């Protein structure tokens, strides 16, 4: 059998360099140790609270790591991104902190709160705007390409980019630095930026660690891809985990997942809602549905790591308040 020998897109040195760039800029988020969680799963669970990161999700780490490496010409022209989610806010905030323009291309039906949050980060940064396109009538790639060409802007994708992956990996790096070696690390999977960076960091710091990915039941493209040994693309999944509604992982992230991730498990939307309520009621934390994926696998008994030290990344806390209130009311 032929074994692919292409090097992985990132190594531990890239993550250490990202950590140095993020020092004093990103929050070093706390690690939560609720006893009620340990009682539920019989393990020692360490939750890395990226719901408390700047702009509300780990995405700040990757965006800032990428933008802070722009050369002077790229900085003058600025950055362009497509996103209606946390990547939009991460790009807008990072661009403002670095003093460069940002254009975020969003669908016309993006939640008003997300449009407003992104525009607020852009407010005092000249040349910055949200460009709204019609999801069904317009081609966002063509719109983005035209703006990028006209204004000379650099496109930063939400996960399939080495600097984005390396920045994301600093979350796992901080977790293990703080609590010491872990037996298992549970990480949610959308396009695979967070888990690929986290796996590289974790395997370097504790080579025996088992890294396990968690996807929504309805959106298990990466689980299917691992089984097939190649990238599988699925229809846009129907799940409340909107940060994991990706159709496939990336050309750069998937080889890292193949090399370092033991397996992918899935959780249902009902399990996500119970976990979201657990964090609100018992831990006093607002965690968005996608941010609950990894924790749900542990707390709902999808995986059993009794007696072991288990790291869990809570990836974000940005919720639409009325919808969140609905989940809490049950
Ligand atoms: C983007 C995002 C994810 C998925 O991350 P990937 O790097 O695409 O796998 C998970 N949770 C939250 C809160 C996100 O914003």
């Amino acid at each position: 059998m032929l074994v692919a020998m292409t090097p992985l897109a990132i190594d531990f040195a890239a993550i250490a360099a990202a950590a140095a760039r993020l020092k004093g800029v990103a929050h070093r988020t706390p690690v939560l140790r609720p006893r009620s969680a340990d009682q539920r799963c019989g393990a020692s669970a360490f939750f890395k609270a990226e719901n408390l990161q700047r702009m509300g999700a780990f995405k700040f780490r990757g965006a800032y790591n990428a933008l802070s490496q722009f050369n002077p010409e790229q900085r003058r022209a600025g950055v362009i991104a497509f996103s209606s989610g946390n990547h939009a806010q991460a790009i807008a905030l990072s661009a403002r902190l670095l003093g460069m323009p940002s254009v975020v291309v969003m669908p016309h039906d993006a939640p008003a709160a997300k449009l407003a949050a992104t525009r607020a980060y852009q407010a005092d940064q000249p040349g910055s705007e949200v460009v709204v396109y019609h999801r069904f009538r317009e081609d966002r790639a063509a719109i983005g390409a035209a703006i990028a060409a006209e204004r000379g802007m650099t496109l930063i994708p939400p996960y399939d980019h080495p600097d984005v992956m390396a920045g994301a990996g600093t979350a796992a790096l901080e977790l293990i630095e703080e609590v010491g070696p872990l037996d298992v690390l549970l990480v949610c999977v959308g396009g695979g930026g967070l888990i690929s960076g986290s796996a590289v960091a974790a395997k370097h710091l504790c080579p025996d660690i088992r890294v396990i990915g968690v996807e929504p039941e309805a959106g298990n493209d990466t689980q299917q891809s691992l089984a097939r040994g190649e990238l599988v693309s699925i229809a846009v999944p129907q799940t409340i985990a909107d940060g994991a509604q990706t159709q496939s992982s990336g050309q750069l992230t998937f080889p890292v997942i193949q090399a370092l991730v033991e397996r992918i498990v899935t959780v249902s939307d009902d399990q996500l809602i119970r976990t979201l309520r657990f964090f609100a009621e018992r831990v006093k934390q607002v965690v968005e549905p996608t941010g609950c994926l990894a924790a749900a696998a542990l707390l709902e008994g999808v995986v059993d790591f009794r007696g072991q030290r288990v790291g869990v990344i809570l990836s974000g806390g940005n919720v639409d308040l009325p919808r969140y209130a609905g989940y809490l009311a049950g």
Side-chain angles (χ1 to χ4, degrees):
M1 195 179 115
L2 276 176
V3 177
M5 292 303 286
T6 322
L8 300 178
I10 53 166
D11 57 13
F12 183 74
I15 295 169
R21 289 181 200 106
L22 290 168
K23 195 160 187 231
V25 184
H27 295 320
R28 202 178 166 94
T29 52
V31 177
L32 309 176
R33 292 276 294 115
R35 287 173 193 213
S36 43
D38 286 6
Q39 279 159 9
R40 254 168 101 135
C41 65
S44 298
F46 300 85
F47 296 96
K48 178 68 169 163
E50 286 296 294
N51 57 315
L52 302 176
Q53 185 51 264
R54 293 186 81 166
M55 57 60 55
F58 77 91
K59 290 248 176 23
F60 178 70
R61 296 175 181 270
Y64 189 88
N65 186 45
L67 270 55
S68 64
Q69 295 180 74
F70 278 19
N71 64 35
E73 197 179 320
Q74 286 178 302
R75 277 192 194 217
R76 253 193 314 277
V79 60
I80 182 165
F82 304 107
S83 172
S84 56
N86 288 330
H87 183 58
Q89 291 166 68
I91 288 288
L93 173 59
S94 300
R96 186 181 70 179
L97 293 172
L98 292 161
M100 69 173 86
S102 65
V103 169
V104 176
V105 185
M106 281 196 193
H108 71 286
D109 53 356
K114 300 217 164 172
L115 273 162
T118 305
R119 286 192 171 123
Y121 287 130
Q122 293 175 323
D124 50 3
Q125 193 55 51
S128 296
E129 61 179 314
V130 172
V131 172
V132 176
Y133 72 99
H134 198 286
R135 200 199 278 272
F136 307 111
R137 282 194 234 125
E138 292 176 299
D139 175 4
R140 75 167 199 182
I143 293 171
I147 298 171
E150 183 189 301
R151 305 187 199 175
M153 294 183 132
T154 304
L155 175 73
I156 296 295
Y159 52 86
D160 215 22
H161 188 292
D163 300 337
V164 172
M165 295 158 68
T170 61
L173 171 67
E174 287 178 14
L175 170 61
I176 294 167
E177 272 177 2
E178 183 165 334
V179 307
L182 296 168
D183 299 308
V184 182
L185 181 65
L186 296 171
V187 188
C188 56
V189 183
L194 180 60
I195 196 170
S196 53
S198 298
V200 169
K203 287 281 188 186
H204 177 88
L205 297 169
C206 12
D208 292 333
I209 196 169
R210 302 163 68 184
V211 181
I212 295 177
V214 186
E215 287 185 306
E217 219 166 69
N220 70 336
D221 55 279
T222 306
Q223 190 183 49
Q224 292 185 38
S225 298
L226 280 181
R228 284 263 291 272
E230 62 184 20
L231 269 185
V232 170
S233 189
I234 60 170
V236 177
Q238 294 304 312
T239 166
I240 62 169
D242 56 350
Q245 279 182 312
T246 36
Q247 294 178 261
S248 82
S249 43
Q251 302 287 341
L252 302 182
T253 59
F254 183 60
V256 180
I257 294 170
Q258 268 184 312
L260 303 179
V261 174
E262 179 180 297
R263 66 194 159 107
I264 307 261
V265 299
T266 63
V267 301
S268 68
D269 280 7
D270 283 346
Q271 290 175 317
L272 288 179
I273 291 174
R274 283 199 293 271
T275 303
L276 175 149
R277 294 172 70 161
F278 172 82
F279 278 101
E281 186 177 23
R282 306 301 297 268
V283 197
K284 326 307 171 194
Q285 293 291 314
V286 176
V287 185
E288 64 184 275
T290 317
C292 288
L293 279 164
L298 186 66
L299 300 176
E300 291 285 321
V302 174
V303 291
D304 184 348
F305 293 118
R306 233 159 268 274
Q308 301 193 43
R309 290 165 56 83
V310 183
V312 179
I313 299 187
L314 302 176
S315 57
N318 288 330
V319 294
D320 176 67
L321 273 186
R323 210 173 289 169
Y324 183 69
Y327 298 144
L328 292 183

